[in-house]
């Protein structure tokens, strides 16, 4: 086998795949190279669990397929999974103490599909506890750090995923997005990420946060890579996820190079208001100019209920979470309190000690808004506005093909910057929540550096099942620019 170059980690999924197929590098060499990097950059807190023996066994199996000529395009390419996906061969904690040491008897569908495609799992990635957060600081295992500036948050909740990809500890990662958790960390770390249409990827084996919103997707360094991964992740799973869409798996790389001249990109005025930091705005404006140079037409649109997406989401998501999290009681899964008097005391102590502050806050809010007398006033109202938000998008898609705007109002903030102020975190979700509530696909594309040399992400939102279009728009941009190739110093 030809000797591997020391900068294997700078290659994209597509490039690695090419080398693997040509047998210029082996899957075992790849796996060893990236595993060594996870150790070298352990200070980033990106990985929670590794299991070298398992990773190398997967790599050896991939090499055997590659040698026999029966390998698929992702065979031998390393990946790491957000710790919200359950895995048979790695501990799964969802970033929570209550799942400390939990070993799942099965793999999440998305994990299984990527393994079937031949990918080699490097380990499990840090995230906010039960994916609740915007800074990865709600992880019971300490925060992940932003490779662009280790004093800053990588974003959340898929903070470990974004940090690992940006720092080249893995060429790609899975994430989940309930209200922005793929797009926002991708933006903060300067990587590319896509949340598909709700129902595209199976939720089976994703530890549930808010089931009507949770959706899996990839983070990688280019739209092309995201397309390769998403093609392997999606597809119906009727037996195991009743909300999975009855839409066949698709090859999302097929339309990457389609022309985009004449495409109408809608700019919601609500996404460009006073709350948007000037440095983020400047990078977004420059990207929009680039799109105009590519022949795209920019059209003003309005998503009038944007502001309401925050209260609506922070009623619906906690409501669903309070129900989903009732299963963690110390009986079946993970952690159980050491000392207790009777069953009810065991439940209470386990939950009191096992859940972190943000999770408890949401369980209380969720229980409150679902309770008799408040259900109509809060939960039901929120559901009605959710529908109106979805309708507003449909009105917008009558005059544009794709919607663009910022992912977040600012670049990454300092770790601890929102300490004791959960509302500050909630407010920063304003631009990602609308697409989540509507179940629409959304993606983040790196488009520049803002304040303190930190990355800025452009959000692209498409109509239902238009992932191929979003990836196409992002890919054309990435062919014309090189922001997606920008690399943090010291990695
Ligand atoms: N920041 C949002 C929250 O805390 C979104 C999280 C997510 O998408 N998982 O709920």
């Amino acid at each position: 086998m030809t000797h591997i170059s020391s900068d294997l980690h700078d290659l994209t999924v597509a490039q690695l795949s090419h080398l693997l197929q040509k047998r210029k590098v082996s899957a075992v060499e790849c796996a060893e190279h990236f595993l060594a990097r996870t150790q070298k950059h352990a200070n980033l807190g990106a990985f929670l669990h590794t299991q070298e023996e398992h990773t190398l066994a997967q790599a050896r199996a991939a090499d055997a397929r590659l040698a026999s000529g029966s390998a698929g395009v992702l065979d031998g390419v390393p990946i790491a999974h957000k710790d919200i996906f359950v895995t048979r061969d790695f501990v799964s904690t969802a970033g929570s103490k209550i799942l400390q040491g939990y070993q799942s008897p099965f793999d999440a569908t998305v994990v299984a599909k990527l393994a079937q495609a031949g990918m080699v799992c490097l380990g499990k990635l840090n995230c906010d506890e039960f994916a609740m957060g915007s800074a990865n600081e709600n992880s019971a295992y300490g925060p992940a750090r932003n490779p662009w500036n280790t004093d800053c948050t990588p974003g959340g909740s898929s903070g470990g995923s974004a940090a690992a990809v940006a720092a080249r500890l893995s060429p790609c990662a899975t994430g989940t997005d309930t209200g922005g958790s793929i797009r926002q960390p991708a933006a903060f770390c300067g990587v590319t990420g896509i949340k598909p249409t709700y129902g595209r990827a199976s939720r089976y084996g994703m530890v549930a946060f808010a089931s009507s919103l949770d959706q899996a997707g990839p983070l990688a360094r280019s739209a092309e890579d995201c397309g390769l991964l998403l093609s392997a992740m999606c597809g119906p799973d009727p037996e195991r996820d009743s909300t999975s869409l009855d839409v066949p798996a698709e090859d999302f790389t097929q339309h990457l190079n389609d022309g985009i001249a004449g495409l109408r990109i809608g700019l919601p005025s609500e996404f460009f208001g006073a709350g948007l930091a000037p440095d983020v705005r400047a990078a977004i404006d420059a990207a929009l100019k680039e799109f105009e140079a590519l022949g795209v037409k920019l059209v003003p649109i309005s998503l009038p209920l944007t502001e309401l997406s925050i209260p609506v989401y922070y009623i619906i998501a906690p409501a669903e979470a309070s129900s989903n999290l009732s299963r963690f009681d110390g009986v079946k899964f993970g952690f159980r309190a050491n000392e207790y008097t009777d069953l009810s005391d065991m439940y209470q102590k386990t939950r009191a000690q096992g859940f972190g502050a943000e999770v408890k806050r949401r369980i209380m809010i969720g229980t409150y808004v679902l309770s008799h007398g408040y259900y109509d006033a809060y939960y039901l109202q929120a559901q009605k506005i959710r529908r109106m938000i979805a309708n507003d998008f449909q009105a917008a898609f009558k005059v544009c093909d794709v919607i663009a705007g910022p992912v977040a109002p600012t670049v990454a903030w300092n770790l601890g910057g929102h300490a004791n102020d959960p509302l500050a975190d909630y407010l920063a979700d304003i631009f990602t929540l609308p697409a989540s509530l509507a179940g629409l696909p959304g993606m983040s594309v790196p488009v520049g550096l803002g304040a303190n040399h930190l990355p800025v992400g452009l959000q692209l939102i498409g109509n239902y099942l238009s992932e191929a279009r979003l990836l196409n728009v992002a890919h054309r941009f990435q062919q014309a620019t090189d922001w997606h190739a920008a690399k943090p110093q010291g990695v």
Side-chain angles (χ1 to χ4, degrees):
M1 191 122 319
T2 333
H3 191 65
I4 40 166
S5 62
S6 57
D7 54 2
L8 208 50
H9 51 272
D10 280 326
L11 302 179
T12 63
V13 170
Q15 290 165 335
L16 277 172
S17 161
H18 188 72
L19 289 189
L20 285 157
Q21 302 287 333
K22 288 238 146 65
R23 310 285 291 142
K24 293 242 160 66
V25 64
S26 74
V28 168
E29 282 170 319
C30 271
E32 282 172 343
H33 181 84
F34 282 101
L35 282 175
R37 286 185 64 77
T38 64
Q39 306 240 312
K40 183 169 161 211
H41 294 281
N43 67 312
L44 291 173
F47 276 78
L48 291 181
H49 327 287
T50 50
Q51 191 66 256
E52 205 170 312
E53 257 328 293
H54 173 70
T55 301
L56 293 177
Q58 261 193 332
R60 282 191 294 271
D63 276 330
R65 288 187 300 270
L66 285 156
S68 74
S70 63
V73 63
L74 291 174
D75 239 303
V77 178
I79 189 167
H81 297 300
K82 183 178 182 178
D83 205 24
I84 202 96
F85 293 93
V86 299
T87 41
R88 217 183 29 207
D89 299 304
F90 299 83
V91 164
S92 306
T93 66
S96 181
K97 182 179 166 191
I98 213 161
L99 279 172
Q100 200 161 40
Y102 175 67
Q103 199 78 44
S104 164
F106 65 94
D107 280 332
T109 298
V110 161
V111 169
K113 276 175 168 281
L114 291 167
Q116 270 156 26
M119 297 198 85
V120 175
C121 180
L122 297 170
K124 303 293 289 293
L125 297 163
N126 205 349
C127 59
D128 282 303
E129 185 174 7
F130 293 107
M132 298 176 189
S134 308
N136 212 130
E137 288 181 283
N138 298 332
S139 166
Y141 305 98
R145 293 175 178 277
N146 192 319
W148 290 84
N149 178 341
T150 51
D151 291 333
C152 291
T153 169
S157 63
S158 312
S161 306
V165 175
R168 278 97 172 126
L169 311 186
S170 177
C172 57
T174 52
T176 60
D177 192 309
T178 302
S181 281
I182 289 174
R183 290 161 285 162
Q184 186 255 26
F188 279 13
C189 290
V191 303
T192 307
I194 182 163
K195 171 197 101 78
T197 306
Y198 179 79
R200 268 281 202 190
S202 170
R203 288 185 295 106
Y204 183 69
M206 259 165 63
V207 177
F209 162 14
S211 309
S212 76
L213 294 152
D214 297 344
Q215 189 55 206
L219 293 95
R221 298 220 307 280
S222 68
E224 181 186 21
D225 285 2
C226 283
L228 285 166
L229 294 158
L230 196 62
S231 306
M233 292 169 75
C234 291
D237 192 14
E239 314 259 291
R240 292 171 160 164
D241 173 3
S242 59
T243 59
S244 100
L245 291 171
D246 187 18
V247 180
E250 192 176 322
D251 178 356
F252 292 109
T253 61
Q254 251 176 13
H255 294 284
L256 287 175
N257 288 306
D258 286 6
I260 57 169
L263 187 91
R264 299 162 304 167
I265 292 191
L267 307 177
S269 54
E270 295 78 5
F271 282 39
F272 292 86
L276 183 59
D279 57 313
V280 174
R281 166 112 212 201
I284 300 289
D285 283 347
L288 294 173
K289 277 226 164 64
E290 184 64 44
F291 273 117
E292 277 188 303
L294 292 170
V296 153
K297 215 176 142 228
L298 302 177
V299 270
I301 59 162
S302 176
L303 295 170
L305 299 177
T306 297
E307 234 175 55
L308 285 182
S309 65
I310 297 176
V312 166
Y313 173 88
Y314 281 99
I315 287 170
I316 293 175
E320 295 185 18
S322 71
S323 162
N324 275 326
L325 269 52
S326 62
R327 75 191 66 178
F328 300 106
D329 55 8
V331 176
K332 273 199 190 144
F333 309 106
F335 169 81
R336 177 182 300 171
N338 273 333
E339 287 171 25
Y340 46 86
T341 51
D342 56 16
L343 183 63
S344 146
D345 192 44
M346 190 278 280
Y347 289 158
Q348 286 178 32
K349 293 224 164 81
T350 296
R351 287 168 69 85
Q353 295 166 22
F355 288 137
E358 181 61 24
V359 172
K360 287 178 185 161
R361 184 177 298 123
R362 297 203 191 190
I363 291 174
M364 286 190 279
I365 294 172
T367 308
Y368 179 80
V369 299
L370 289 176
S371 61
H372 181 73
Y374 294 108
Y375 181 94
D376 289 354
Y378 296 107
Y379 185 73
L380 212 58
Q381 290 295 99
Q383 290 291 16
K384 287 181 186 164
I385 301 170
R386 179 180 190 176
R387 171 52 60 94
M388 289 161 73
I389 289 171
N391 290 346
D392 284 348
F393 274 108
Q394 291 314 308
F397 284 125
K398 289 207 165 76
V399 296
C400 67
D401 306 295
V402 166
I403 293 171
V407 171
T410 64
V411 293
W413 54 86
N414 278 346
L415 285 165
H418 291 178
N420 305 320
D421 186 6
L423 275 184
D425 267 17
Y426 299 177
L427 293 173
D429 291 339
I430 183 157
F431 301 135
T432 50
L433 298 179
S436 295
L437 289 164
L440 294 166
M443 91 179 272
S444 176
V445 187
V447 292
L449 298 176
N452 308 321
H453 229 65
L454 289 163
V456 173
L458 174 81
Q459 183 175 202
L460 297 173
I461 301 169
N463 211 340
Y464 300 110
L465 304 178
S466 69
E467 293 82 1
R469 180 51 114 182
L470 293 184
L471 291 164
N472 162 226
V473 171
H475 179 69
R476 295 304 294 228
F477 180 83
Q478 292 183 339
Q479 296 222 300
T481 59
D482 53 12
W483 290 114
H484 62 295
K487 185 176 165 176
Q489 266 175 11
V491 304

